[in-house]
Amino acid sequence: MTILCRVEELAEDCAREFEVGQQRLLAWRKGAKVRVVVNRCPHFNVPMNVEFGSVPVLGGLLTCVHHYSYFRFEDGACVEGQCVGATLDAVPFEIVDGEVSV
């Protein structure tokens, strides 16, 4: 397993990007819950940010800055934008002693 970060290092207003092997991942926190997804918008199969780093969360929804599609925390479903009905690919993870690992 690869440690991404500590839970408290994840801000609620953006998803933090990590590169693990050849894969770009986003770790995202809402309250005490965490979600990890592949950083790939299902609309055009591109990363949801322009530069490596973070992706904004607006109104509680993860935002693709290319197409302004919005994704729900609970299940990664697109609820507004070009890919409504599609979902982000979830990544299995675990939290041990406050550290998020994939």
Side-chain angles (χ1 to χ4, degrees), residues 8-40:
E8 64 265 14
E9 294 173 340
L10 297 173
E12 290 204 41
D13 60 349
C14 67
R16 186 169 164 194
E17 186 174 27
F18 299 89
E19 192 166 5
V20 178
Q22 298 294 316
Q23 197 166 43
R24 291 170 69 172
L25 306 177
L26 295 171
W28 174 19
R29 182 173 64 88
K30 187 173 186 179
K33 295 182 179 180
V34 172
R35 183 167 183 80
V36 180
V37 297
V38 175
N39 183 6
R40 185 176 55 245

Side-chain angles (χ1 to χ4, degrees), residues 37-86:
V37 297
V38 175
N39 183 6
R40 185 176 55 245
C41 180
H43 180 219
F44 274 139
N45 205 27
V46 297
M48 295 196 297
N49 50 350
V50 177
E51 293 182 9
F52 188 86
S54 64
V55 174
V57 174
L58 303 172
L61 301 171
L62 188 65
T63 306
C64 175
V65 300
H66 297 288
H67 316 110
Y68 298 100
S69 292
Y70 298 91
F71 300 87
R72 198 168 40 211
F73 178 86
E74 293 76 13
D75 56 8
C78 181
V79 294
E80 185 177 330
Q82 301 290 331
C83 55
V84 170

Side-chain angles (χ1 to χ4, degrees), residues 78-97:
C78 181
V79 294
E80 185 177 330
Q82 301 290 331
C83 55
V84 170
T87 59
L88 299 173
D89 293 329
V91 176
F93 70 96
E94 63 183 28
I95 299 173
V96 177
D97 296 328

